[in-house]
Amino acid sequence: MSAPGTRLSGTGMTSERTRARMLARLRAAGISDARVLAAMGAVPRHIFVEEALAHRAYEDTALPIGHGQTISQPYAVARAIEELARGRCLGRTLEVGTGCGYQAAVLAQLATEVYSVERVRELHERARTNLRPLRIANLRLVWGDGYAGLAEAAPFDSIVVAAAADAPPPALIEQLAERGRLVLPLGGPHGQRLERFDRVRGRVVRVALDPVRFVPLRKGRSR
Ligand code: SAH
């Protein structure tokens, strides 16, 4: 058990200094947008993993969060958000695949509003619990199938998907605002690549980015 209050601020391996080392590693790996680095530095990653793994929260690795899912590697989170923020602000943002809620918290530092959809109910609820102490006012969590996007809150200026699909889900392209941008991993178990889709005057322009590794995007909601 932690002493009251120490879980959020962190101690030892979860401290401010450990977080600064994570930022230094992200910089060394090529993340250069100061807004993204500041947002990554502002969110305590250790509160999103089980206490037994908290000492590893600032390593650049994915960690298990239950249901066969993982908290994304810090580099993968920073890389996707940097691409969404390149030359622009995030605006109204949709995240597909809340998982533990970490990336949603980082997005909320930069976006006007964030909607984050998770298909596994228990993960959705756990994310809510994880996020509560951070008191983030511009973040809404939704239990649902993100493959269908979130029609009731569309259109979005930014959409980011935290799980890999074979092709971009059509609903996500449809729910992009004019000048909107979608960043998602595409591909299967033998290789995935982060890709970006920009909606420009009704057309969609595709840009291939770096190789990445994410859990698969699945259709439908699950308990
Ligand atoms: N964003 C998380 C990463 C979670 S891993 C982080 O910050 O670390 C990807 C998540 O996507 C898993 O929780 C998985 O259940 C979820 N997922 C997969 N397919 C989905 C779908 N169709 N709709 C919503 N969530 C989905």
Side-chain angles (χ1 to χ4, degrees):
M1 274 294 284
S2 315
T6 57
R7 175 97 172 123
L8 187 55
S9 56
T11 53
M13 287 305 285
T14 59
S15 69
E16 199 69 37
R17 206 150 43 107
T18 317
R19 225 182 289 174
R21 275 204 296 274
M22 177 185 82
L23 295 183
R25 272 198 308 271
L26 290 174
R27 267 192 220 97
I31 303 297
S32 59
D33 187 325
R35 298 169 298 168
V36 176
L37 290 164
M40 297 287 296
V43 177
R45 192 166 185 264
H46 64 274
I47 69 166
F48 294 90
V49 298
E50 282 173 34
E51 277 199 78
L53 289 173
H55 67 288
R56 299 190 52 199
Y58 298 94
E59 292 175 14
D60 200 20
T61 49
L63 295 169
I65 56 171
H67 292 268
Q69 304 301 321
T70 54
I71 179 171
S72 300
Q73 188 195 9
Y75 175 76
V77 171
R79 184 68 189 87
I81 298 179
E82 181 167 70
E83 205 52 42
L84 280 179
R86 192 177 298 285
R88 66 203 284 271
C89 292
L90 295 192
R92 282 168 59 78
T93 299
L94 172 68
E95 179 192 33
V96 174
T98 314
C100 59
Y102 174 68
Q103 182 167 36
V106 179
L107 287 166
Q109 310 299 309
L110 297 169
T112 46
E113 256 179 296
V114 178
Y115 294 83
S116 182
V117 182
E118 170 57 54
R119 66 182 287 276
V120 179
R121 183 166 200 170
E122 206 178 295
L123 291 176
H124 159 75
E125 280 165 5
R126 204 176 307 159
R128 195 178 288 296
T129 307
N130 290 341
L131 287 159
R132 195 166 292 129
L134 299 182
R135 299 168 175 278
I136 302 174
N138 61 337
L139 173 58
R140 302 273 170 278
L141 300 182
V142 179
W143 173 46
D145 180 9
Y147 192 86
L150 191 64
E152 63 266 38
F156 299 99
D157 303 304
S158 302
I159 302 180
V160 60
V161 184
D166 298 332
L172 299 187
I173 298 281
E174 278 161 28
Q175 292 174 21
L176 276 183
E178 172 57 26
R179 304 172 81 91
R181 184 174 290 173
L182 163 68
V183 172
L184 82 172
L186 290 183
H190 304 298
Q192 299 171 4
R193 189 172 281 282
L194 201 63
E195 302 213 18
R196 186 178 120 192
F197 295 79
D198 287 304
R199 182 186 281 270
V200 189
R201 279 181 244 96
R203 289 181 56 236
V204 176
V205 180
R206 176 175 185 165
V207 183
L209 308 165
D210 346 342
V212 284
R213 225 166 85 200
F214 281 86
V215 296
L217 186 71
R218 299 188 192 289
K219 287 191 194 174
R221 259 191 342 185
S222 142
R223 282 184 176 271

